[in-house]
Amino acid sequence: MPIITTSLDHGKSFVTAFANANIALVKYWGKANRDLNIPLVPSISFTLNSLGTFCHVEKSPDEHDHLIIDGQEVDDAALGRFHAFLTYFRSQFSIDERFTITTKNNIPYGAGLASSASAYASMSLGLSHFCHLDLSEKELSLLARVGSASAARSIMGDFVALPGGEALGHRDAFASPIMLQNKPDWQMVIVIGNHQQKALSSREAMTITKQTSPFFDAFVKNSHDDFLGCKDGLITGNLETVGAIMEHSTLKMHASMWAAKPSINYLQPFSLSAIELIKAFRNRFGPVAFFTLDAGPNVKILCEAPIAERLSTHIQEKLPNTTIVCSSLGQKAKILDDRAL
Ligand code: DP6
């Protein structure tokens, strides 16, 4: 794979990286350490295929960092998290450089489709190559996690595990792929009923939930069982086991948000309709499709690949105002050659 970099001193050098988004089967919700963004609970994800973020890294023309998302320069007020990430990056690797970072998503930004995951994963890989660090996957995952914990998982492909826990230190909180002898033939069917950016970020929502929800401790308490059970289900290729845990994990997460003060609700009527359709589909065809939702109203369905098309058509007929996107398992983040954004 060609890597387009020249010296950091060379004004024209650039790198373009791409990372896929991922959907958590077992949810990360809540932080053990807010500064370093260490998850309080372990999580497992499904890497989407070809749905993610292109990230173009180049030297800044002035003494400031710039972030351009989908063609629009992000203003100072929204730049706090990005600056914190770049400040961490520079201090960690003794780099004294300002960057212009241009990202382009091929998934709706901020719609609960985990685009911060692919954004920080592609940025970490792009920065590593641009600065000739050539970090290992483990180091990239550690770096991406500081930007967004779910991004730690988007460095890798297929099914990915990220540890979490109160006692976890920075160097322990990196993702790794779950090695499977037989990769299950499953797909993620994404039901998009709302493309708008969410009003409350997952970061803010998880802080409020952790601080105020009486159900948050219950979510944390059996998250390790969910993690281990899901991993076993993946190893044995048992969709029913993985799907049941996946639904339980997301419902516990949303229940804990509902019970927060103030209460947080990301679901919309179409989300509940989709959930009921999936349950009815299962009653008819058996345990072939299971749902999950993140910090947004869009519904993701893990299903046997051969039924993905039939399921999509069925949902589209019943919920005609939604857009359906199907994704197989995707690969790890990569450097592209000279893709212009
Ligand atoms: C519901 O990774 O976006 O998608 O670490 O604060 O950036 P930060 O949060 P983020 O939260 C993702 C939450 C989730 C569940 C998951 O992806 O595990």
Side-chain angles (χ1 to χ4, degrees):
M1 189 88 52
I3 296 167
I4 308 291
T5 53
T6 55
S7 150
L8 266 181
D9 300 321
H10 192 287
K12 281 186 184 160
S13 76
F14 69 89
V15 160
T16 303
F18 177 78
N20 283 308
N22 70 78
I23 304 296
L25 309 178
V26 173
K27 300 299 181 195
Y28 141 62
W29 197 249
K31 297 175 201 291
N33 179 317
R34 278 173 71 173
D35 293 335
L36 286 170
N37 217 20
I38 298 175
L40 190 54
V41 296
S43 57
I44 292 180
S45 58
F46 177 111
T47 308
L48 296 177
N49 189 17
S50 310
L51 288 172
T53 306
F54 296 92
C55 177
H56 187 90
V57 179
E58 60 198 315
K59 227 171 131 166
S60 168
D62 52 37
E63 68 278 18
H64 303 290
D65 292 313
H66 300 275
L67 175 62
I68 300 155
I69 300 178
D70 290 333
Q72 293 213 317
E73 176 137 18
V74 180
D75 60 32
D76 276 354
L79 279 176
R81 181 175 176 180
F82 169 72
H83 281 315
F85 175 73
L86 284 182
T87 302
Y88 172 84
F89 173 73
R90 278 190 281 265
S91 72
Q92 200 67 11
F93 299 104
S94 309
I95 284 164
D96 183 28
E97 185 71 75
R98 296 292 178 271
F99 304 98
T100 295
I101 299 207
T102 309
T103 66
K104 199 168 165 62
N105 293 299
N106 60 10
I107 45 175
Y109 178 63
L113 286 179
S115 47
S116 72
S118 50
Y120 281 99
S122 60
M123 216 182 284
S124 300
L125 180 60
L127 284 166
S128 161
H129 278 274
F130 186 79
C131 299
H132 309 293
L133 299 171
D134 293 334
L135 299 177
S136 66
E137 282 186 14
K138 173 182 166 181
E139 297 298 330
L140 285 170
S141 181
L142 288 168
L143 172 63
R145 193 208 70 232
V146 174
S148 180
S150 54
R153 301 185 308 235
S154 270
I155 295 296
M156 284 96 194
D158 296 335
F159 295 100
V160 181
L162 175 64
E166 199 72 70
L168 217 62
H170 166 66
R171 301 281 319 158
D172 303 317
F174 61 92
S176 33
I178 299 176
M179 295 303 176
L180 299 176
Q181 278 198 333
N182 298 309
K183 221 190 289 179
D185 189 19
W186 298 345
Q187 289 226 353
M188 198 60 84
V189 173
I190 305 169
V191 184
I192 304 171
N194 185 315
H195 290 264
Q196 312 238 302
Q197 198 173 339
K198 56 199 171 198
L200 188 67
S201 71
S202 6
R203 185 160 292 194
E204 289 167 287
M206 69 177 82
T207 302
I208 296 170
T209 312
K210 184 176 181 220
Q211 285 171 351
T212 68
S213 175
F215 297 164
F216 184 71
D217 287 347
F219 170 78
V220 173
K221 203 172 158 203
N222 57 2
S223 61
H224 282 269
D225 293 340
D226 293 343
F227 178 82
L228 294 176
C230 181
K231 213 169 163 183
D232 279 353
L234 289 172
I235 289 166
T236 55
N238 189 327
L239 180 62
E240 191 169 7
T241 302
V242 172
I245 292 170
M246 184 177 90
E247 291 189 355
H248 186 56
S249 176
T250 190
L251 290 173
K252 267 187 304 188
M253 181 182 83
H254 284 277
S256 70
M257 282 191 249
W258 274 39
K261 290 180 186 169
S263 173
I264 300 163
N265 173 42
Y266 283 111
L267 277 58
Q268 290 182 6
F270 85 88
S271 322
L272 295 171
S273 302
I275 289 174
E276 290 311 314
L277 284 173
I278 296 153
K279 287 184 177 172
F281 196 85
R282 265 206 312 261
N283 285 339
R284 221 169 133 207
F285 298 107
V288 291
F290 296 83
F291 65 85
T292 187
L293 291 104
D294 292 294
N298 299 319
V299 180
K300 295 97 184 201
I301 309 165
L302 182 67
C303 67
E304 302 277 7
I307 63 110
E309 205 179 316
R310 183 181 195 168
L311 179 65
S312 310
T313 309
H314 178 65
I315 295 190
Q316 187 77 85
E317 272 167 21
K318 300 281 181 190
L319 300 172
N321 292 330
T322 58
T323 306
I324 315 267
V325 178
C326 290
S327 173
S328 52
L329 269 175
Q331 295 172 345
K332 62 184 181 184
K334 58 184 179 233
I335 293 291
L336 304 175
D337 44 13
D338 56 353
R339 191 187 169 96
L341 287 174

